[in-house]
Amino acid sequence: MKEQLESIRSAALEAVKNAISEKEIEELRVKYLGKKGELTAILKQMGGLSAEERPKMGQLVNEAKQNVENLISKRGQELKLKATELKLKSETIDITMPPKKREVGKLHPLNTVLDDMIDIFQSMGFDVLDGPEVETDHYNFECLNVPADHPARDMQDTFYLGENLLLRTQTSAAQIRTMETRKPPIRIICPGRVFRADEVDATHSPVFHQIEGLVVDKGITMCDLKGVLEQFAHEIYGKDTEVKFRPSFFPFTEPSVEVDVTCSECGGKGCRVCKGSGWIEILGAGMVHPNVLRSCGIDPDVYSGFAFGIGLDRLTTTRYKISDIRLLFENDKRFLNQF
Ligand code: DAH
């Protein structure tokens, strides 16, 4: 029995010494010291020994158990330490590594310029309205005094969606919708997308943006138009910018003007941006035609008004020196990240 004990003990010690994981150690503990373990089992055989031998053998078994237990706890601790070290090593954070870049969204240049324009007009008391992009012939042309044989009504220029339905070619339709639902005094702007069947090139896109403006009240004159638009141009381009009102024609205004500002690129000397003229056209405007007021149920003998339509894309390309309007619509991040 002594020999049997000895062989179990040395096998146990050897196995514990060679164990390489905490799990293995635990298995060995169960194998030798557990309830059904080999060293526990040997104690159960002691019933066959004489009363004299029994305590001696008991002592030997206890010594062996203690011996194995000590080694198990020592080896267990060693392995635990080793495992912790390994874990720490593998989880080390290299604080010198550059962090992952987080992409932050920003405003599209068109929106930046639009926000500025809205600020300027709001500070002058204008409300900001919205209008539908799909319009009827009635709002887009008829009520705006655009005659049936006007070239703008041609299929070549307008995207028709049906007999009477089209993609608005101008935000001016908002004038009519506003005068139908509001009574003077009216002071509104309506920014939005407009659509024309233009050939695409560096300065033309089938989709572009306008900001329509409308003021209607008693006693509104051309002086009000000039005052408001001059102030707008000075706030956008700076106080030194000269503003020129040039006679023009629009079916829905009489008289009509186009407004030019001195080229911000060359200061008026003439360059590539202003095509040598020194001026850049930024908007069309005029006094609301009596026919238009009348078609909206407003008496032109009592009220008068002015309207304007500003091209947002031109304003944006000249401000940021963008050479091709198509860049505004392509959503190329290399371009957009420059703003
Ligand atoms: N709707 C015109 C266009 O698209 C721009 C315009 C001109 C709007 C004169 C106006 C205006 O309100 O009075 O070319």
Side-chain angles (χ1 to χ4, degrees):
M1 201 169 162
K2 239 186 190 169
E3 276 156 28
Q4 195 192 349
L5 175 67
E6 191 47 44
S7 92
I8 294 174
R9 190 176 75 120
S10 58
L13 292 179
E14 187 66 18
V16 173
K17 220 193 294 168
N18 292 332
I20 52 161
S21 73
E22 286 181 273
K23 184 166 167 265
E24 213 178 313
I25 289 283
E26 182 53 25
E27 281 163 9
L28 289 171
R29 205 181 58 74
V30 174
K31 182 173 180 206
Y32 291 104
L33 305 172
K35 265 193 196 145
K36 292 177 187 161
E38 292 182 27
L39 284 170
T40 318
I42 220 167
L43 278 174
K44 289 180 188 152
Q45 294 174 24
M46 295 209 314
L49 296 176
S50 67
E52 214 174 282
E53 279 173 317
R54 217 177 290 154
K56 278 190 201 156
M57 197 56 206
Q59 197 186 348
L60 283 177
V61 173
N62 279 337
E63 271 173 20
K65 277 180 87 175
Q66 195 62 52
N67 206 202
V68 172
E69 215 164 86
N70 285 348
L71 194 65
I72 279 182
S73 92
K74 190 171 155 234
R75 185 74 187 136
Q77 261 168 25
E78 272 174 22
L79 286 170
K80 192 172 177 176
L81 203 73
K82 223 178 190 168
T84 312
E85 267 172 20
L86 221 79
K87 191 166 174 225
L88 282 178
K89 218 180 216 167
S90 72
E91 285 177 1
T92 309
I93 297 166
D94 180 358
I95 55 164
T96 64
M97 237 162 85
K100 260 198 196 146
K101 233 189 179 171
R102 211 186 279 179
E103 296 214 32
V104 181
K106 34 182 126 172
L107 282 183
H108 190 285
L110 281 172
N111 283 328
T112 307
V113 177
L114 177 60
D115 284 354
D116 287 356
M117 292 172 74
I118 288 176
D119 279 352
I120 294 169
F121 283 111
Q122 274 182 332
S123 77
M124 291 195 259
F126 283 73
D127 284 348
V128 182
L129 299 185
D130 207 6
E133 292 181 342
V134 174
E135 263 300 0
T136 59
D137 185 273
H138 175 79
Y139 284 108
N140 195 78
F141 292 128
E142 214 168 290
C143 290
L144 285 163
N145 209 28
V146 180
D149 57 356
H150 194 282
R153 287 190 162 202
D154 200 280
M155 295 276 278
Q156 304 288 319
D157 296 294
T158 302
F159 291 113
Y160 283 93
L161 303 173
E163 177 80 359
N164 234 329
L165 224 50
L166 45 87
L167 292 178
R168 66 177 174 196
T169 60
Q170 49 186 355
T171 45
S172 302
Q175 291 185 31
I176 309 302
R177 289 187 175 274
T178 307
M179 286 190 278
E180 278 183 356
T181 51
R182 293 187 175 205
K183 292 290 143 238
I186 292 169
R187 216 182 315 173
I188 61 104
I189 57 168
C190 172
R193 287 195 296 184
V194 296
F195 308 84
R196 286 189 201 170
D198 272 334
E199 286 283 339
V200 180
D201 62 27
T203 53
H204 293 89
S205 158
V207 186
F208 56 103
H209 302 80
Q210 289 184 335
I211 291 131
E212 193 74 16
L214 176 70
V215 174
V216 181
D217 202 354
K218 287 179 181 157
I220 298 289
T221 68
M222 194 83 178
C223 284
D224 299 303
L225 178 157
K226 286 188 74 180
V228 166
L229 295 178
E230 225 165 57
Q231 165 137 1
F232 161 74
H234 283 154
E235 294 213 26
I236 281 279
Y237 287 103
K239 283 259 171 296
D240 297 335
T241 300
E242 279 182 58
V243 184
K244 182 164 78 176
F245 291 81
R246 204 162 23 82
S248 184
F249 172 79
F250 298 102
F252 37 88
T253 47
E254 180 59 36
S256 303
V257 291
E258 278 176 302
V259 176
D260 301 339
V261 294
T262 37
C263 175
S264 52
E265 177 73 15
C266 62
K269 284 192 215 78
C271 68
R272 208 173 47 88
V273 175
C274 57
K275 298 199 178 96
S277 73
W279 296 96
I280 290 178
E281 183 201 318
I282 57 165
L283 61 91
M287 300 305 292
V288 182
H289 197 292
N291 285 353
V292 175
L293 291 174
R294 219 173 277 124
S295 76
C296 298
I298 294 176
D299 184 352
D301 292 329
V302 181
Y303 292 101
S304 55
F306 67 87
F308 53 89
I310 307 171
L312 177 62
D313 312 80
R314 172 79 70 86
L315 234 66
T316 306
T317 51
T318 51
R319 180 198 279 195
Y320 293 113
K321 304 188 180 28
I322 297 165
S323 57
D324 193 321
I325 192 175
R326 286 170 286 197
L327 288 164
L328 293 175
F329 303 99
E330 282 168 354
N331 279 337
D332 186 333
K333 283 215 273 184
R334 291 167 303 178
F335 168 74
L336 294 174
N337 275 332
Q338 297 174 38
F339 300 92

